[in-house]
């Protein structure tokens, strides 16, 4: 990643979406790739901070062979934010999107908090998941203590721990406060630290503090999937950056140990975002895995971004 770019993991979407009514909310949805191909249903990370821009940039590379659905979750990006932001509700939204797409099964994919939701979906709707791709995520909230220790030990910046605790505990006051706290921890994310790039990410991030606060104050304190993961039958690829500070390698190792049919790949020159920092190698790893567990049914297009994406209709 060069100093001139903004990581799509921390940016609002700039591509056009259709607004789809899902469980009482209009969600911003994009469908990439050939009709009839196996479907990859993605969930972005960082509720209240993330958007469909990240999975569009990463999993969208596979849209030459797969049908890739990206969307802003309720309360994030351009989507409406009615109702609660619980894992149960977000998982129900995922299943409603699957039904809207008219398919029986999907490859469930997501990184960071999107990985939390991918695993939640695989546990709650096991018969709907053909395979799963996880990136830099965790099976429980123990990563919160690990990330706090890593923030305190950082030799890049001195983190204001009062701001760290407010964003980590879901106690930010408004969108401006969320932006200020976000700026405090962003230097910790990348393998290589670029202060100018951090500031560009701060400006590019879409802020929705209500979803963030709910996720971090209500959902995460009770988040623990470890007992349920041995029951996941879907083949699973787990990817993680070696220097990931917020969901460290040990978190991915725990998931790999618990899911019976799983494969772990560690990217040595990445922090929290190997899909960006080692994009080619990460994409090759995911594609190879998917070819094995859910082979494509179409001939690759020359450019995924130019692949037509007709609007699915409900079955």
């Amino acid at each position: 990643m060069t100093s001139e770019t903004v990581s799509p993991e921390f940016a609002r979407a700039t591509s056009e979406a259709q607004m789809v009514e899902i469980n009482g909310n209009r969600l911003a949805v994009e469908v990439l790739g050939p009709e009839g191909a196996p479907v990859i249903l993605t969930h972005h990370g960082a509720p209240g901070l993330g958007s469909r821009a990240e999975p569009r940039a990463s999993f969208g590379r596979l849209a030459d062979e797969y049908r890739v659905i990206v969307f802003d979750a309720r309360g994030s990006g351009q989507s409406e934010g009615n109702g609660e932001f619980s894992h149960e509700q977000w998982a129900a939204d995922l299943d409603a999107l699957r039904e809207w797409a008219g398919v029986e099964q999907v490859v469930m994919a997501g990184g960071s908090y999107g990985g939390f939701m991918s695993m939640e979906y695989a546990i709650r709707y096991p018969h709907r998941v053909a395979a799963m791709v996880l990136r830099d995520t965790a099976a429980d909230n123990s990563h919160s203590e690990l990330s706090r220790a890593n923030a305190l030990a950082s030799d890049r910046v001195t983190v204001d721990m009062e701001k760290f605790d407010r964003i980590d505990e879901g106690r930010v006051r408004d969108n401006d406060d969320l932006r200020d706290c976000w700026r405090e921890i962003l230097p910790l994310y990348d393998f290589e630290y670029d202060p100018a790039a951090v500031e560009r990410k701060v400006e590019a991030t879409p802020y929705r503090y209500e979803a963030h606060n709910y996720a971090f104050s209500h959902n995460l304190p009770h988040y623990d999937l470890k007992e349920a993961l041995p029951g996941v039958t879907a083949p699973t690829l787990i990817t993680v950056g070696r220097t990931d500070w917020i969901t460290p390698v040990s978190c991915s190792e725990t998931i790999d140990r618990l899911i019976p049919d799983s494969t772990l790949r560690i990217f040595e020159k990445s922090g929290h975002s190997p899909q960006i920092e080692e994009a080619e190698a990460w994409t090759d790893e995911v594609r190879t895995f998917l070819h094995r567990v859910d082979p494509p049914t179409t001939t690759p297009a020359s450019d995924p971004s130019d692949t037509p994406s007709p609007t699915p209709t409900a079955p």
Side-chain angles (χ1 to χ4, degrees):
M1 183 170 60
T2 69
S3 60
E4 289 77 25
T5 61
V6 174
S7 163
E9 188 170 11
F10 306 122
R12 63 183 62 86
T14 57
S15 50
E16 186 176 348
Q18 54 185 310
M19 302 304 293
V20 180
E21 185 80 13
I22 297 291
N23 293 332
N25 276 258
R26 296 175 72 242
L27 304 186
V29 182
E30 293 184 63
V31 182
L32 314 172
E35 192 169 6
V39 171
I40 302 174
L41 178 59
T42 70
H43 201 293
H44 63 77
L49 289 163
S51 79
R52 67 186 187 276
E54 184 272 317
R56 191 185 199 282
S58 54
F59 291 100
R61 299 177 198 130
L62 303 166
D64 55 347
E65 298 183 301
Y66 291 87
R67 190 84 157 159
V68 181
I69 299 175
V70 301
F71 72 106
D72 293 340
R74 70 166 62 201
S76 293
Q78 297 173 325
S79 291
E80 291 182 335
N82 304 318
E84 67 177 19
F85 308 120
S86 65
H87 286 190
E88 180 180 11
Q89 182 61 69
W90 278 328
D93 291 349
L94 282 167
D95 200 54
L97 278 168
R98 176 205 56 78
E99 185 175 6
W100 170 79
V103 293
E104 292 297 315
Q105 285 192 318
V106 297
V107 173
M108 190 63 233
S112 197
Y113 209 112
F116 302 168
M117 290 313 307
S118 294
M119 289 183 283
E120 289 273 19
Y121 186 72
I123 290 166
R124 294 170 185 268
Y125 301 86
H127 301 301
R128 299 305 187 185
V129 181
M132 187 160 52
V133 179
L134 305 175
R135 193 266 306 157
D136 295 84
T137 191
D140 63 14
N141 198 38
S142 64
H143 72 281
S144 181
E145 294 181 10
L146 297 173
S147 63
R148 195 176 197 279
N150 287 336
L152 285 167
S154 173
D155 58 3
R156 289 184 175 181
V157 291
T158 300
V159 177
D160 182 330
M161 296 309 293
E162 191 274 333
K163 292 180 180 178
F164 179 97
D165 288 339
R166 283 197 292 115
I167 193 171
D168 187 58
E169 296 168 7
R171 295 188 288 108
V172 300
R173 295 182 290 271
D174 51 30
N175 285 338
D176 288 339
D177 189 38
L178 180 57
R179 179 186 295 109
D180 195 34
C181 293
W182 184 228
R183 178 184 283 110
E184 197 67 26
I185 64 174
L186 260 176
L188 304 174
Y189 277 86
D190 291 339
F191 185 74
E192 295 181 356
Y193 174 41
D194 180 348
V198 166
E199 196 55 36
R200 284 193 295 273
K201 294 172 193 176
V202 170
E203 294 305 314
T205 299
Y207 297 96
R208 302 281 296 275
Y209 81 97
E210 297 96 336
H212 170 84
N213 276 356
Y214 193 102
F216 281 75
S217 65
H218 291 272
N219 297 342
L220 290 191
H222 311 290
Y223 173 67
D224 189 346
L225 304 180
K226 293 194 301 299
E227 288 189 5
L229 286 181
V232 171
T233 58
T236 300
L237 174 65
I238 306 157
T239 66
V240 63
R242 174 62 73 183
T243 64
D244 186 348
W245 76 280
I246 192 166
T247 48
V249 169
S250 61
C251 297
S252 287
E253 290 173 337
T254 296
I255 298 170
D256 183 43
R257 186 174 68 251
L258 293 173
I259 295 180
D261 186 3
S262 63
T263 302
L264 173 63
R265 293 290 182 263
I266 301 172
F267 291 83
E268 299 296 335
K269 295 183 179 180
S270 293
H272 190 60
S273 304
Q275 83 285 9
I276 296 166
E277 297 183 292
E278 296 182 74
E280 185 174 353
W282 182 88
T283 304
D284 287 347
E285 192 72 49
V286 174
R287 192 185 296 275
T288 298
F289 169 76
L290 291 179
H291 278 192
R292 176 173 63 84
V293 301
D294 198 2
T297 55
T298 60
T299 301
S302 58
D303 183 353
S305 64
D306 294 332
T307 303
S309 21
T311 302
T313 55

